[in-house]
């Protein structure tokens, strides 16, 4: 069972709209199964990953990937959501 609560559909900081995050729960379930971890972990990862993109992080270049991956790990560990 997956429970998802959203305060709003838009991500804002100081009244500045950063964008929307859309998550397919079917994709969450299938990717969790594919990668062998919980749906909670997959949903948390997808939201953290998406938020980092909204904050301007990217992973197209190796140096960007390393930074973004470290931020993702920091977020997930801070939430105590592990693989």
């Amino acid at each position: 069972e997956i429970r998802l609560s959203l305060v709003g559909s838009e991500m804002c900081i100081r009244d500045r709209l950063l964008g929307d995050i859309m998550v397919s729960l079917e994709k969450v379930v299938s990717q969790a199964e594919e990668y062998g971890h919980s749906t909670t972990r997959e949903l948390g990862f997808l939201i953290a990953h998406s938020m980092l993109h909204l904050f301007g992080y990217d992973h197209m270049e190796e140096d960007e990937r390393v930074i973004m991956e470290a931020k993702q790990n920091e977020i997930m560990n801070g939430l105590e959501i592990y693989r």
Side-chain angles (χ1 to χ4, degrees), residues 5-66:
S5 298
L6 298 173
V7 174
S9 63
E10 300 172 333
M11 184 76 185
C12 298
I13 293 183
R14 296 185 185 160
D15 298 325
R16 180 172 173 239
L17 176 64
L18 298 178
D20 296 316
I21 296 175
M22 306 294 286
V23 178
S24 163
L25 294 182
E26 292 80 13
K27 196 70 167 170
V28 168
V29 171
S30 70
Q31 286 184 183
E33 290 173 0
E34 179 180 345
Y35 296 120
H37 51 245
S38 71
T39 53
T40 298
R41 195 264 176 210
E42 186 63 23
L43 179 60
F45 172 81
L46 290 173
I47 291 173
H49 185 90
S50 298
M51 288 176 64
L52 288 171
H53 277 300
L54 291 176
F55 293 140
Y57 290 91
D58 207 346
H59 48 83
M60 297 302 290
E61 303 293 330
E62 180 62 17
D63 59 330
E64 296 173 332
R65 184 196 64 76
V66 169

